[in-house]
Amino acid sequence: MIKIVHYINQFYAGIGGEEMAHVGPCKMDVIPPVSKAFTAAWKGEAEVVATIYCGDSYFAEQTDKALAEICELIKSVGGEMLICGPAFNAGRYGFACGNVAAAVKAQMGIPTLTGMYEENPGTDYKNKTIIVPTANSAAGMRKAVAAMAPLALKLAKGEELGPYYEEGYMYTGIRKNMFEEEIGAKRAVKMMLKKLAGEPFITEFPMPSFDRVAPNPAVKDISKATVALCTSGGIVPKGNPDHIESSSASHYGKYDIEGVMDLTEETYETAHGGYDPVYANQDADRVLPVDIMRDLEKEGKIGKLHRYFYTTVGNGTAVASAKKFAAEYSKELVADGVDAVIMTST
Amino acid sequence: MVKEIERAGLPIVHMCTVTPISMTVGANRIVPTIAIPHPLGNPKLTMAEEKVLRRGLVEKALKALETEVEDQTIFE
């Protein structure tokens, strides 16, 4: 039976939620249900022999240290392959899964595989490990295991994977030579005819999609500038008047802070469900530094703090939504004469 | 969001703890912060010490806004 090691976070390890996201890497004494689900799917051909977990914040905040510790643990338990996650649309977890899978593959030379939602920032590692697309929430666990398990088994057996569009993993950007029945010119014309007819076709060479925006020129004199604060950390007036969702936010909030010198426990809180809210609820300036901006304003170090701040919850929020929110409110910022923006994220 | 605000013509600095994610989303001016649940604070310090820490970070962010960059830059 092939021995496989599984990497998961503190949540799937049953250690706890956000309040335990700070815990360091550890090998579990008991194989958790998520690992057992993979073992079951392999039907006796392979099994998870060890499960290693790490708190999502611990990993994200000290990535190099966490990686070294996790690699040590994986080495100590042995194993012919590593699977990570699935992380669905959990950003820090996906980042950890991608990182661990890429590092273990590079450093230990064993095959690795992970699974996550296509908008997860961890998909950045898709050219360094095999990533299987999953649903955006744990409701898709059964399907995710069903998609990941057979590919993992193939890799563990040392079998070559077919192209991504046949096997169902994410495009890696790695090209392999292969023989085709028809010459390139014929295939290209066929593809073009399909395209003209509006039929689906698969390109043989996807163009990289870089959506980069060049940096704007620097602010000439910040002491004369109006600076706006924005956040994805979910800071809202106490009671969350616009009901911004704790995850997958469907909207943003715009709040007037004229005369507000300091965000206090009584007046502001966080609506974010993706990090331990204790510290932000005690003092929201820890996420949105209104107190400091007011001091700097008084001292003439900045021209003015903009009257409104814009906020949403960046927790599993669709990229398309975030894009829409900011495209909308940045127009207001420009119209209001704002010169520069500080965006804070948790 | 950072990218959309930049696209609108406003210089923007992203203050966050997981800077690789900030690079992925395309921020051009990045200031690393303390920790995920308290990027601009540290509950282990006194309120006064925390304010000094926060002020230092905000000043770094303002400095970043005043600095010309050609490419994605992390202001350590």
Side-chain angles (χ1 to χ4, degrees):
Chain A
M1 185 131 46
I2 302 169
K3 295 189 178 94
I4 296 183
V5 182
H6 193 188
Y7 174 85
I8 58 173
N9 70 358
Q10 84 286 348
F11 178 74
Y12 287 98
I15 304 297
E18 284 305 327
E19 76 289 357
M20 295 304 283
H22 64 279
V23 297
C26 194
K27 176 182 173 288
M28 295 191 69
D29 294 329
V30 180
I31 302 289
V34 62
S35 304
K36 285 185 181 154
F38 280 99
T39 298
W42 290 320
K43 295 190 171 70
E45 287 197 79
E47 70 171 328
V48 173
V49 291
T51 302
I52 286 156
Y53 70 85
C54 177
D56 283 335
S57 289
Y58 183 97
F59 189 92
E61 287 172 4
Q62 48 215 316
T63 302
D64 292 342
K65 182 167 176 262
L67 263 183
E69 291 166 350
I70 291 162
C71 285
E72 255 336 287
L73 279 171
I74 292 172
K75 267 181 214 152
S76 75
V77 297
E80 296 157 75
M81 173 175 192
L82 173 76
I83 57 168
C84 304
F88 305 105
N89 201 18
R92 280 165 304 157
Y93 188 22
F95 175 70
C97 285
N99 242 303
V100 171
V104 167
K105 187 179 175 209
Q107 292 171 25
M108 299 171 55
I110 60 172
T112 61
L113 173 141
T114 179
M116 64 189 74
Y117 182 57
E118 57 186 2
E119 285 191 359
N120 195 310
T123 57
D124 240 28
Y125 294 89
K126 65 185 173 213
N127 58 351
K128 299 196 174 75
T129 183
I130 296 293
I131 304 183
V132 178
T134 70
N136 62 2
S137 81
M141 179 61 90
R142 195 196 294 242
K143 274 191 180 167
V145 171
M148 289 167 70
L151 281 180
L153 195 58
K154 268 195 179 179
L155 286 171
K157 286 180 180 167
E159 287 174 22
E160 191 114 339
L161 294 187
Y164 71 98
Y165 48 84
E166 280 173 14
E167 299 270 18
Y169 55 90
M170 289 185 194
Y171 178 60
T172 60
I174 297 163
R175 307 181 76 201
K176 281 185 187 157
N177 285 324
M178 58 185 277
F179 287 103
E180 284 279 6
E181 296 275 309
E182 292 175 332
I183 61 166
K186 245 187 168 174
R187 303 201 306 273
V189 170
K190 275 190 175 167
M191 225 185 285
M192 193 179 70
L193 288 175
K194 279 191 177 168
K195 188 172 182 174
L196 290 171
E199 289 168 16
F201 66 96
I202 296 165
T203 175
E204 291 179 14
F205 188 49
M207 289 291 135
S209 60
F210 291 119
D211 180 24
R212 286 282 179 249
V213 179
N216 285 308
V219 178
K220 290 277 172 298
D221 183 356
I222 202 86
S223 72
K224 303 253 177 352
T226 299
V227 183
L229 287 179
C230 298
T231 188
S232 65
I235 301 303
V236 290
K238 190 101 181 169
N240 189 11
D242 296 312
H243 310 290
I244 297 176
E245 298 90 338
S246 61
S247 72
S248 305
S250 66
H251 57 292
Y252 62 91
K254 172 189 184 182
Y255 300 107
D256 191 346
I257 42 170
E258 176 131 297
V260 175
M261 307 311 279
D262 187 17
L263 307 183
T264 64
E265 196 171 357
E266 289 73 36
T267 51
Y268 289 86
E269 63 181 8
T270 181
H272 202 295
Y275 65 90
D276 187 348
V278 172
Y279 313 107
N281 286 343
Q282 274 168 0
D283 181 1
D285 293 298
R286 286 170 173 157
V287 177
L288 196 77
V290 171
D291 58 346
I292 299 296
M293 294 298 278
R294 287 296 182 211
D295 289 348
L296 293 167
E297 190 179 41
K298 254 185 286 174
E299 294 164 28
K301 298 264 168 66
I302 59 167
K304 200 166 152 262
L305 171 60
H306 184 48
R307 177 170 176 167
Y308 302 96
F309 76 87
Y310 292 84
T311 178
T312 193
V313 165
N315 179 26
T317 301
V319 173
S321 304
K323 195 176 154 107
K324 194 183 97 201
F325 301 162
E328 207 171 287
Y329 69 68
S330 57
K331 277 190 208 133
E332 290 186 10
L333 291 169
V334 171
D336 286 346
V338 168
D339 300 298
V341 177
I342 296 177
M343 170 79 71
T344 65
S345 288
T346 46
Chain B
M1 291 198 286
V2 172
K3 213 157 55 185
E4 291 314 305
I5 293 167
E6 190 97 67
R7 209 191 300 275
L10 293 169
I12 178 163
V13 56
H14 192 202
M15 305 187 76
C16 64
T17 304
V18 193
T19 54
I21 295 186
S22 183
M23 294 291 282
T24 303
V25 301
N28 290 315
R29 293 175 170 90
I30 302 167
V31 170
T33 53
I34 308 297
I36 291 162
H38 45 81
L40 290 148
N42 184 349
K44 285 188 189 136
L45 304 176
T46 65
M47 279 298 219
E49 288 168 336
E50 234 187 321
K51 255 191 114 167
V52 173
L53 172 83
R54 178 153 61 245
R55 175 149 179 156
L57 288 166
V58 173
E59 283 178 343
K60 204 183 274 182
L62 295 175
K63 193 89 209 136
L65 287 170
E66 285 189 297
T67 308
E68 298 292 352
V69 298
E70 285 185 3
D71 207 351
Q72 292 188 290
T73 308
I74 297 177
F75 291 82
E76 292 288 352

